[in-house]
Amino acid sequence: MSMIKTPEQIVLMREAGRVVANTLAAVREAAGVGVTLRDLDALAAETIATAGATPAFLDYHPRWAAVPFPGVICTSVNDAVVHGIPDGYKLQDGDLLSVDCGAFLEGWCGDAAVSFIVGTTDPVDQTLIDATDAALARGIEAARIGNKMGDLAYAIGGAARRAGYGLLADHGGHGIGRTMHAEPPVPNDGRPGRGIKLTEGLVIAIEPMLILGRKDDYYQDDDGWTLRSANGRRAAHSEHTVAITADGPLILTLP
């Protein structure tokens, strides 16, 4: 039952989510040709600090990682699906950039991600982003009392697979609250009617990660964090923190 949040706690999580949303908006506005990923990371750090919050990603060190994460945001470019480290890379015209951000405010965490194209838009890339956003929207719509986790997972992955996209293997969403990653796991692919029942007060991060082509495989860079599509094709990542309420799903990571 520790997974369940009270209405008062959800209100506090909404404020943490607002910090994340505003940070992502600032980063997206600043991203342009010639801007470095490190520049965007510095902007995110400033935005989070100004809001009185602290970054969730900086120095995060799960057991599987060789080193703590060195950035405030994850910046994943082109074939990097997730966990890209914000370094000195200068954004180029046509890059597909996925930005993931987490922040703590008053002890509660928000987590969200957005993908967009820098400069000139390639229609194939935009369709990929649109499909990822649509998968997130379907997952959110399925986050209702009485559904099961498999219903939510199928809502995300079923249509994505039918459209010919891969889904990053071994990765999905998660519970969230006092910690960034908590129970339950939130898969991006599954069978309807399976898994735990979704109940009022459950708060989860829903995050589809779609890859061009039908392959789910990936490899990890030598930096110990960045995950790249094994087929070398581009990927997109979209995420919101969502509370399951009696009135339906409530997105917490909006401005």
Side-chain angles (χ1 to χ4, degrees):
M1 296 303 294
S2 62
M3 294 188 294
I4 303 303
K5 310 300 187 297
T6 66
E8 293 77 15
Q9 291 171 335
I10 290 172
V11 168
L12 293 173
M13 292 191 71
R14 175 70 180 95
E15 293 310 307
R18 200 184 309 276
V19 173
V20 170
N22 289 337
T23 302
L24 287 174
V27 168
R28 182 169 188 165
E29 178 68 22
V33 175
V35 176
T36 71
L37 301 180
R38 193 171 288 122
D39 291 336
L40 298 180
D41 195 63
L43 173 62
E46 179 182 1
T47 305
I48 291 170
T50 298
T54 56
F57 296 174
L58 183 64
D59 294 327
Y60 178 60
H61 195 181
R63 285 176 294 179
W64 54 262
V67 296
F69 191 76
V72 169
I73 53 175
C74 296
T75 50
S76 305
V77 181
N78 298 333
D79 64 322
V81 190
V82 288
H83 302 166
I85 292 175
D87 56 17
Y89 176 81
K90 291 184 178 181
L91 290 167
Q92 300 179 28
D93 187 48
D95 276 344
L96 195 167
L97 175 62
S98 298
V99 182
D100 193 355
C101 178
F104 284 96
L105 183 67
E106 302 294 333
W108 295 97
C109 191
D111 187 7
V114 64
S115 294
F116 55 91
I117 298 167
V118 177
T120 306
T121 299
D122 183 301
V124 173
D125 292 342
Q126 188 59 56
T127 300
L128 167 66
I129 293 171
D130 292 344
T132 308
D133 291 343
L136 175 60
R138 291 192 303 270
I140 293 170
E141 176 60 26
R144 294 182 178 274
I145 296 170
N147 278 353
K148 292 194 173 181
M149 192 65 77
D151 300 321
L152 189 156
Y154 181 74
I156 293 171
R161 290 210 182 278
R162 289 192 295 273
Y165 294 104
L167 294 161
L168 183 68
D170 309 321
H171 289 76
H174 49 89
I176 185 170
R178 287 289 191 181
T179 60
M180 180 167 57
H181 293 130
E183 294 294 325
V186 182
N188 287 327
D189 201 11
R191 297 176 62 182
R194 302 292 184 91
I196 68 167
K197 185 174 287 188
L198 305 181
T199 56
E200 184 175 359
L202 182 65
V203 182
I204 53 178
I206 304 173
E207 50 178 322
M209 293 156 272
L210 272 58
I211 303 170
L212 286 173
R214 298 183 180 274
K215 300 296 185 181
D216 303 347
D217 301 336
Y218 65 91
Y219 68 92
Q220 188 177 67
D221 274 1
D222 291 341
D223 63 22
W225 279 96
T226 307
L227 303 185
R228 297 187 182 274
S229 62
N231 63 8
R233 301 194 68 182
R234 292 188 171 193
H237 178 202
S238 189
E239 179 182 15
H240 271 307
T241 298
V242 178
I244 297 172
T245 78
D247 296 322
L250 176 64
I251 301 173
L252 303 182
T253 39
L254 290 173

